Amino acid sequence: MMPERIIALMLALMLAITGGCGMLRSKPLPETVAAVERERRFAGALQYLMQGNEQEAEGLLEQVVAGRTLPGVTDEALFQLALLHLREEGGKGDAHAQAELTRLKKEFPRSIWTRQAAPLTAYLAGVGTLRESQRELKTVRERNQSLIRD
Protein backbone atom coordinates (compact mmCIF):
# COMPACT_ATOMS: atom_id res chain seq x y z
CA MET A 1 0.00 0.00 0.00
CA MET A 2 1.28 3.47 -0.84
CA PRO A 3 2.44 5.68 2.07
CA GLU A 4 0.00 8.41 1.06
CA ARG A 5 -2.90 5.99 1.29
CA ILE A 6 -1.74 4.76 4.71
CA ILE A 7 -1.42 8.32 5.99
CA ALA A 8 -4.84 9.26 4.58
CA LEU A 9 -6.36 6.16 6.15
CA MET A 10 -4.80 6.92 9.52
CA LEU A 11 -5.94 10.55 9.41
CA ALA A 12 -9.45 9.56 8.41
CA LEU A 13 -9.50 6.95 11.16
CA MET A 14 -8.31 9.49 13.73
CA LEU A 15 -10.94 11.97 12.58
CA ALA A 16 -13.62 9.29 12.74
CA ILE A 17 -12.59 8.21 16.23
CA THR A 18 -12.18 11.70 17.66
CA GLY A 19 -15.07 13.19 15.76
CA GLY A 20 -12.93 15.75 13.95
CA CYS A 21 -12.71 19.14 15.58
CA GLY A 22 -14.64 18.83 18.84
CA MET A 23 -15.74 22.46 18.74
CA LEU A 24 -17.45 22.05 15.39
CA ARG A 25 -19.39 18.83 15.96
CA SER A 26 -19.72 16.26 18.66
CA LYS A 27 -20.01 13.14 16.43
CA PRO A 28 -18.16 12.08 13.28
CA LEU A 29 -20.04 12.45 10.03
CA PRO A 30 -21.60 9.15 8.89
CA GLU A 31 -20.09 9.46 5.42
CA THR A 32 -16.61 9.87 6.94
CA VAL A 33 -17.04 6.73 9.01
CA ALA A 34 -18.36 4.86 5.96
CA ALA A 35 -15.40 6.05 3.86
CA VAL A 36 -12.96 4.90 6.52
CA GLU A 37 -14.72 1.54 6.67
CA ARG A 38 -14.47 1.15 2.86
CA GLU A 39 -10.78 2.06 3.03
CA ARG A 40 -10.28 -0.53 5.78
CA ARG A 41 -12.09 -3.22 3.79
CA PHE A 42 -10.12 -2.36 0.68
CA ALA A 43 -6.82 -2.60 2.58
CA GLY A 44 -7.95 -5.96 3.94
CA ALA A 45 -8.83 -7.16 0.45
CA LEU A 46 -5.38 -6.21 -0.83
CA GLN A 47 -3.83 -8.06 2.10
CA TYR A 48 -5.90 -11.16 1.29
CA LEU A 49 -4.80 -10.91 -2.35
CA MET A 50 -1.15 -10.82 -1.29
CA GLN A 51 -1.74 -13.93 0.82
CA GLY A 52 -3.46 -15.70 -2.09
CA ASN A 53 -6.87 -15.80 -0.39
CA GLU A 54 -8.93 -14.70 -3.35
CA GLN A 55 -12.34 -15.67 -1.95
CA GLU A 56 -11.97 -13.42 1.10
CA ALA A 57 -10.55 -10.64 -1.07
CA GLU A 58 -13.48 -10.90 -3.47
CA GLY A 59 -15.98 -10.66 -0.62
CA LEU A 60 -14.37 -7.49 0.73
CA LEU A 61 -14.03 -5.96 -2.72
CA GLU A 62 -17.73 -6.62 -3.37
CA GLN A 63 -18.52 -4.70 -0.17
CA VAL A 64 -16.25 -1.82 -1.20
CA VAL A 65 -17.85 -1.38 -4.64
CA ALA A 66 -21.38 -1.74 -3.25
CA GLY A 67 -21.11 1.50 -1.28
CA ARG A 68 -20.80 5.08 -2.40
CA THR A 69 -17.90 5.74 -4.72
CA LEU A 70 -14.62 6.75 -3.19
CA PRO A 71 -12.06 7.82 -5.81
CA GLY A 72 -8.75 6.05 -5.39
CA VAL A 73 -10.46 3.13 -3.67
CA THR A 74 -13.59 2.16 -5.59
CA ASP A 75 -11.89 2.43 -8.97
CA GLU A 76 -9.02 0.14 -8.00
CA ALA A 77 -11.46 -2.20 -6.24
CA LEU A 78 -13.51 -2.48 -9.46
CA PHE A 79 -10.37 -3.29 -11.43
CA GLN A 80 -9.19 -5.91 -8.92
CA LEU A 81 -12.67 -7.41 -8.76
CA ALA A 82 -12.81 -7.69 -12.56
CA LEU A 83 -9.53 -9.61 -12.51
CA LEU A 84 -10.87 -11.97 -9.86
CA HIS A 85 -14.06 -12.56 -11.86
CA LEU A 86 -12.02 -13.75 -14.83
CA ARG A 87 -11.26 -16.96 -12.93
CA GLU A 88 -14.93 -17.95 -12.77
CA GLU A 89 -15.94 -20.92 -14.88
CA GLY A 90 -18.38 -21.12 -17.77
CA GLY A 91 -17.98 -17.67 -19.28
CA LYS A 92 -19.97 -16.00 -16.51
CA GLY A 93 -16.75 -14.63 -15.10
CA ASP A 94 -16.07 -12.79 -18.35
CA ALA A 95 -19.51 -11.19 -18.20
CA HIS A 96 -19.00 -10.16 -14.57
CA ALA A 97 -15.56 -8.77 -15.36
CA GLN A 98 -16.94 -6.87 -18.35
CA ALA A 99 -19.67 -5.36 -16.15
CA GLU A 100 -17.12 -4.25 -13.55
CA LEU A 101 -14.90 -2.72 -16.22
CA THR A 102 -17.85 -0.95 -17.84
CA ARG A 103 -18.78 0.54 -14.47
CA LEU A 104 -15.14 1.53 -13.94
CA LYS A 105 -15.05 3.38 -17.26
CA LYS A 106 -18.42 5.05 -16.63
CA GLU A 107 -17.80 6.20 -13.06
CA PHE A 108 -14.04 6.87 -13.23
CA PRO A 109 -13.20 7.88 -16.81
CA ARG A 110 -9.96 9.63 -15.79
CA SER A 111 -8.69 6.98 -13.40
CA ILE A 112 -5.40 5.25 -14.04
CA TRP A 113 -7.25 1.98 -13.44
CA THR A 114 -9.59 2.77 -16.34
CA ARG A 115 -6.58 3.28 -18.60
CA GLN A 116 -5.03 0.05 -17.29
CA ALA A 117 -8.29 -1.78 -17.98
CA ALA A 118 -8.59 -0.65 -21.61
CA PRO A 119 -6.65 -3.58 -23.14
CA LEU A 120 -8.50 -6.06 -20.96
CA THR A 121 -11.85 -4.54 -21.97
CA ALA A 122 -10.93 -4.87 -25.65
CA TYR A 123 -9.79 -8.46 -25.11
CA LEU A 124 -13.04 -9.38 -23.33
CA ALA A 125 -15.05 -7.81 -26.16
CA GLY A 126 -13.13 -10.00 -28.62
CA VAL A 127 -13.73 -13.09 -26.50
CA GLY A 128 -17.46 -12.27 -26.38
CA THR A 129 -17.56 -11.96 -30.15
CA LEU A 130 -15.72 -15.26 -30.54
CA ARG A 131 -18.13 -17.04 -28.17
CA GLU A 132 -21.10 -15.65 -30.08
CA SER A 133 -19.58 -16.88 -33.35
CA GLN A 134 -19.07 -20.32 -31.82
CA ARG A 135 -22.72 -20.42 -30.72
CA GLU A 136 -23.87 -19.46 -34.22
CA LEU A 137 -21.61 -22.11 -35.76
CA LYS A 138 -23.02 -24.76 -33.41
CA THR A 139 -26.57 -23.75 -34.38
CA VAL A 140 -25.71 -23.95 -38.09
CA ARG A 141 -24.14 -27.39 -37.63
CA GLU A 142 -27.21 -28.64 -35.74
CA ARG A 143 -29.50 -27.37 -38.50
CA ASN A 144 -27.27 -28.93 -41.12
CA GLN A 145 -27.40 -32.30 -39.30
CA SER A 146 -31.18 -32.01 -39.11
CA LEU A 147 -31.43 -31.36 -42.85
CA ILE A 148 -29.14 -34.29 -43.63
CA ARG A 149 -31.35 -36.62 -41.59
CA ASP A 150 -34.48 -35.38 -43.35
Side-chain angles (χ1 to χ4, degrees):
M1 190 181 305
M2 299 174 60
E4 299 87 19
R5 189 171 280 169
I6 293 171
I7 292 170
L9 179 61
M10 293 302 295
L11 285 173
L13 184 59
M14 287 174 37
L15 281 172
I17 291 171
T18 63
C21 181
M23 296 177 74
L24 295 177
R25 67 180 80 83
S26 60
K27 294 195 294 186
L29 292 173
E31 60 267 9
T32 303
V33 174
V36 169
E37 182 62 23
R38 282 193 306 280
E39 280 265 357
R40 186 184 67 74
R41 287 182 179 157
F42 179 67
L46 293 179
Q47 190 66 34
Y48 280 130
L49 284 173
M50 284 188 262
Q51 295 169 354
N53 191 343
E54 293 178 355
Q55 275 188 323
E56 292 294 327
E58 185 175 343
L60 288 176
L61 290 171
E62 291 283 356
Q63 292 174 17
V64 170
V65 302
R68 292 179 63 189
T69 60
L70 186 62
V73 173
T74 309
D75 51 345
E76 185 176 353
L78 285 166
F79 181 79
Q80 295 294 338
L81 196 54
L83 293 178
L84 289 175
H85 283 312
L86 289 176
R87 293 181 179 258
E88 293 175 12
E89 296 293 323
K92 289 185 177 183
D94 291 354
H96 286 134
Q98 187 70 40
E100 301 295 345
L101 295 174
T102 300
R103 179 177 170 200
L104 174 63
K105 185 175 182 179
K106 179 182 175 188
E107 294 181 17
F108 303 96
R110 301 176 88 175
S111 169
I112 188 166
W113 297 105
T114 302
R115 288 190 289 281
Q116 292 289 316
L120 180 57
T121 303
Y123 173 78
L124 289 174
V127 167
T129 302
L130 180 59
R131 282 201 175 122
E132 182 61 33
S133 296
Q134 287 175 333
R135 276 188 227 112
E136 289 174 8
L137 181 60
K138 183 180 176 184
T139 302
V140 167
R141 285 182 180 158
E142 289 171 354
R143 287 181 183 163
N144 190 21
Q145 288 296 326
S146 176
L147 288 173
I148 289 172
R149 280 179 270 170
D150 290 345

